[in-house]
Amino acid sequence: MPDAILIKNGHIVDPSQGIDEVGDILIEDGKITEVRSQKSEVRHKEKESLRTIDAAGLYIFPGLVDMHVHLREPGFEYKETIKTGTMAAVKGGITSVCCMPNTNPVNDNKTVTEFILRKTYAEGSCYVYPIGAITKGQKGEELAEMTMMHEAGCVAFSDDGRPVTSSLIMRRALEYSRVLNVPIISHCEDMSLSEGGVMNEGRLSAQMGLRGIPYASEDAMVARDIILSELTGGRLHIAHVSTEGSVRLLRQAKERGVKVTAETCPHYFTITEDAVKGYNTNAKVNPPLRTQRDVDAIKEGLRDGTIDVIATDHAPHHRDEKLQEFDKSPSGISGFETALSLCLRLVHEGVLTMSQLVEKITFAPAKILGINAGTLKVDNYADITIVDMNREFKVESENFLSKGKNTPFDGWTLKGMPVITICKGKIYDWRS
């Protein structure tokens, strides 16, 4: 990186500081040293080299923070690695990711946590924050060593991919969350209702001859975990919200003052269950794609603040796995390289203002996790995403940097994309 970088004339949006105006940013020795409006002149010390980036007509965001991803390493490197996953994230404008523990071995102890951090230091293109398992082996039977894992670097705990079926164990986890001051990220699924299901339960699943997953499977567990959070005062975060009922339950809980936050993913406000027609396994996710009514409810939940965060739930799979029959194919979408463009549709459609969107993909997740990210404050490391709101591109999954090519958006034309990402002292220019 040059000794100094001057980003000029860009529209800076940083909700952490209430900034939403055209201005300049000066970066010296990898850190932000000045943020000035267009009316003020950025002054910098004499440096051996100064690189100027003209961002006229472009937006400047804090580097995006994705609090729900699957990097697959250790154990499933044929799907993704820390090296390939973090590079794909950076291409998507994401500079901080939080990786879920369903690796092999499961990240349920400090040894695996430390391995992930060592690999990130050696090969990662962006910052990686491990999320530890709530229970040993994610089996739901015994709490993992949460304190030791937190000390080793875990910023949250989740059994994502599986629900914690025992209410008592979930209660204990939420009690620990108060002591450690970290969120418990809940995968809300009543397995007795969803077991064997592969898509949303309804008329379409019946027509396709596939076993469905009812909305009640998610709603019932959201309700239970809200009740347990209310009981314990623990910090609860609901992952990948997909139903109208979940949004309603979360809204009511927040009105009562329950310590609950929530996220959804781009596919849950962009497409419906119709995307699985033709037995399209690239549209198979868990929780499943729902109905237009659910999509509308999620958009309203984003608009009114019921849903705090947008995360990708980046879940890459090998091509051969997704080519199996629908019943056998694994759930998941490779989401890093389309996420921001899909999120920007919320701005184009008037669902969110630009500032509201940027908060949900930068400062809000960072605040929930207690990490120093998602901001352009002076003295912070320069993790920055520069976005061209008007640039259109065709999604070509074969060109993804991620090993996972599994996306239902292949062939779509999207508007708005990250054109420059600055992360960990490097400048990535995606314009060519």
Side-chain angles (χ1 to χ4, degrees):
M1 175 181 277
D3 291 332
I5 302 170
L6 181 60
I7 306 174
K8 297 185 64 175
N9 306 316
H11 189 143
I12 304 169
V13 181
D14 181 7
S16 74
Q17 302 182 84
I19 299 174
D20 188 355
E21 61 183 349
V22 174
D24 304 338
I25 296 177
L26 180 64
I27 302 164
E28 296 179 287
D29 300 322
K31 290 190 173 184
I32 297 170
T33 54
E34 288 189 67
V35 180
R36 291 285 184 268
S37 70
Q38 200 174 42
K39 300 174 184 178
S40 307
E41 182 180 351
V42 168
R43 299 179 180 179
H44 62 90
K45 302 172 185 176
E46 288 299 322
K47 292 282 184 179
E48 291 182 6
S49 61
L50 172 68
R51 175 170 175 176
T52 300
I53 299 173
D54 186 0
L58 306 176
Y59 278 82
I60 303 171
F61 301 158
L64 310 190
V65 178
D66 191 345
M67 69 179 291
H68 189 145
V69 316
H70 300 270
L71 294 180
R72 304 303 190 195
E73 190 173 11
F76 302 106
E77 288 84 357
Y78 69 97
K79 298 174 185 273
E80 190 79 285
T81 65
I82 288 170
K83 183 176 182 178
T84 60
T86 57
M87 180 55 73
V90 169
K91 187 178 179 184
I94 301 163
T95 58
S96 297
V97 301
C98 302
C99 58
M100 287 295 174
N102 54 340
T103 49
N104 185 21
V106 170
N107 184 15
D108 62 1
N109 61 81
K110 71 173 186 176
T111 302
V112 179
T113 302
E114 290 168 349
F115 168 82
I116 292 168
L117 292 172
R118 285 196 306 272
K119 288 287 286 188
T120 299
Y121 181 79
E123 300 179 0
S125 297
C126 70
Y127 299 96
V128 175
Y129 298 90
I131 293 174
I134 295 172
T135 64
K136 292 182 178 179
Q138 291 190 287
K139 295 179 179 179
E141 298 170 355
E142 184 180 357
L143 284 178
E145 297 288 347
M146 295 171 67
T147 301
M148 294 177 66
M149 296 167 69
H150 178 56
E151 291 171 351
C154 286
V155 297
F157 294 91
S158 179
D159 271 5
D160 186 61
R162 301 180 183 181
V164 177
T165 57
S166 166
S167 297
L168 177 60
I169 289 177
M170 192 62 173
R171 174 184 180 170
R172 296 292 181 242
L174 285 165
E175 289 169 343
Y176 266 102
S177 78
R178 291 185 60 191
V179 176
L180 300 176
N181 193 26
V182 295
I184 300 298
I185 301 175
S186 180
H187 173 111
C188 289
E189 179 181 6
D190 185 327
M191 294 298 295
S192 65
L193 291 173
S194 68
E195 188 173 3
V198 294
M199 66 172 291
N200 184 54
E201 182 180 285
R203 181 179 298 176
L204 183 59
S205 65
Q207 290 173 348
M208 294 179 67
L210 295 173
R211 187 165 179 176
I213 299 173
Y215 65 83
S217 172
E218 179 175 318
D219 296 358
M221 290 295 272
V222 169
R224 183 205 72 169
D225 286 351
I226 286 172
I227 291 167
L228 291 176
S229 178
E230 216 164 1
L231 172 68
T232 62
R235 292 186 54 196
L236 174 66
H237 180 83
I238 304 296
H240 41 54
V241 171
S242 75
T243 70
E244 178 187 27
S246 292
V247 176
R248 181 173 60 251
L249 288 163
L250 286 162
R251 185 178 291 117
Q252 294 168 350
K254 287 191 170 191
E255 288 172 354
R256 296 198 306 275
V258 181
K259 293 180 181 178
V260 59
T261 54
E263 71 188 46
T264 192
C265 310
H267 40 279
Y268 295 124
F269 56 73
T270 305
I271 51 179
T272 69
E273 62 181 354
D274 287 345
V276 307
K277 287 181 177 178
Y279 302 92
N280 179 11
T281 58
N282 283 326
K284 183 182 179 183
V285 284
N286 186 26
L289 299 172
R290 304 288 186 177
T291 67
Q292 187 61 49
R293 182 169 175 171
D294 296 298
V295 169
D296 293 341
I298 286 168
K299 286 182 178 179
E300 183 57 34
L302 288 164
R303 188 201 307 268
D304 69 12
T306 299
I307 300 174
D308 308 83
V309 169
I310 300 172
T312 64
D313 196 2
H314 173 73
H317 290 291
H318 191 276
R319 185 193 315 272
D320 291 348
E321 293 175 312
K322 279 292 190 177
L323 287 174
Q324 298 180 94
E325 295 93 336
F326 200 92
D327 284 355
K328 297 178 181 177
S329 177
S331 297
I333 289 172
S334 182
F336 282 150
E337 294 164 75
T338 56
L340 179 56
S341 303
L342 293 170
C343 288
L344 288 171
R345 289 163 62 96
L346 296 171
V347 178
H348 293 307
E349 294 171 5
V351 176
L352 298 175
T353 66
M354 185 66 81
S355 184
Q356 288 171 332
L357 172 63
V358 173
E359 182 171 9
K360 291 180 189 297
I361 55 179
T362 60
F363 186 60
K367 185 177 180 182
I368 290 168
L369 295 163
I371 62 176
N372 187 23
T375 181
L376 298 174
K377 290 180 180 177
V378 169
D379 293 331
N380 270 41
Y381 284 105
D383 300 318
I384 295 173
T385 301
I386 301 177
V387 180
D388 185 341
M389 275 287 287
N390 297 312
R391 182 160 177 170
E392 293 188 346
F393 69 100
K394 185 177 180 179
V395 178
E396 297 176 321
S397 61
E398 286 301 315
N399 295 329
F400 280 2
L401 297 185
S402 169
K403 285 188 176 184
K405 315 301 180 186
N406 46 302
T407 173
F409 304 109
D410 198 28
W412 281 40
T413 297
L414 298 178
K415 183 179 181 181
M417 67 174 287
V419 290
I420 295 175
T421 311
I422 302 174
C423 182
K424 294 181 73 171
K426 294 187 67 174
I427 302 172
Y428 300 86
D429 194 328
W430 310 109
R431 290 175 291 187
S432 58

